[in-house]
Amino acid sequence: MSKMIFVNLPVRDLAKSMAFYEALGFTNEPRFTDETAAAMVWSDSIFVMLLTHEKWQSFTDRPIPPTSASEVSLALAMDDRAAVDAMIAAAAAHGGTADINPVQDHGFMYGRDLLDPDGHVWGPFWMDPAVANGEAAVPEVSQ
């Protein structure tokens, strides 16, 4: 089996969360979706499992953090800057919050952050392919 990642996220409203992630470009995998969970596919190896609070609590006794907390920030590589901006716009138009952190523009790398309706942080970003694959050096960035 190839290496894959399944990110499990607790959500208050499964249907609303599914619609939100579909608006960002994820697709639903109905074989792993029911009234308590939805498998949302980003790529052949990256899946987001949206779990109702009840389903989430069947896996752990740990509390679900409030939507004002950041438990993790998940970054998604995008094809170009326009794709980053498009994902941020889609998030804002579908119940998310755009630019919860300052925009990061270092020339060779560009990223923005969004919150989903349950307070989960996603960071779509673009990196110059020559830098990403090692053909070009990482430029110095002034802070």
Side-chain angles (χ1 to χ4, degrees), residues 34-80:
D34 62 21
E35 66 280 350
T36 67
M40 304 302 292
V41 180
W42 177 252
S43 72
D44 291 342
S45 60
I46 302 171
F47 298 78
V48 173
M49 296 299 300
L50 304 174
L51 308 172
T52 64
H53 284 197
E54 296 76 22
K55 181 74 162 190
W56 175 270
Q57 291 167 334
S58 73
F59 293 111
T60 182
D61 292 332
R62 296 178 52 85
I64 296 170
T67 58
S68 60
S70 292
E71 76 279 10
V72 67
S73 177
L74 303 161
L76 293 172
M78 307 300 284
D79 290 335
D80 52 38

Side-chain angles (χ1 to χ4, degrees), residues 12-143:
R12 290 178 304 240
D13 183 327
L14 186 58
K16 180 178 177 180
S17 292
M18 288 176 66
F20 176 82
Y21 281 90
E22 287 172 344
L24 297 186
F26 289 73
T27 57
N28 178 251
E29 171 49 80
R31 294 180 306 142
F32 305 112
T33 299
D34 62 21
E35 66 280 350
T36 67
M40 304 302 292
V41 180
W42 177 252
S43 72
D44 291 342
S45 60
I46 302 171
F47 298 78
V48 173
M49 296 299 300
L50 304 174
L51 308 172
T52 64
H53 284 197
E54 296 76 22
K55 181 74 162 190
W56 175 270
Q57 291 167 334
S58 73
F59 293 111
T60 182
D61 292 332
R62 296 178 52 85
I64 296 170
T67 58
S68 60
S70 292
E71 76 279 10
V72 67
S73 177
L74 303 161
L76 293 172
M78 307 300 284
D79 290 335
D80 52 38
R81 290 170 174 259
V84 171
D85 293 339
M87 180 176 275
I88 294 294
H94 292 88
T97 304
D99 296 322
I100 57 140
N101 295 311
V103 174
Q104 299 289 316
D105 190 348
H106 302 295
F108 75 98
M109 187 169 66
Y110 173 70
R112 297 172 69 181
D113 292 323
L114 64 93
L115 282 179
D116 78 1
D118 290 281
H120 304 295
V121 180
W122 289 90
F125 75 96
W126 167 85
M127 184 182 294
D128 180 328
V131 173
N133 68 25
E135 293 174 4
V138 177
E140 285 195 37
V141 176
S142 60
Q143 298 297 331

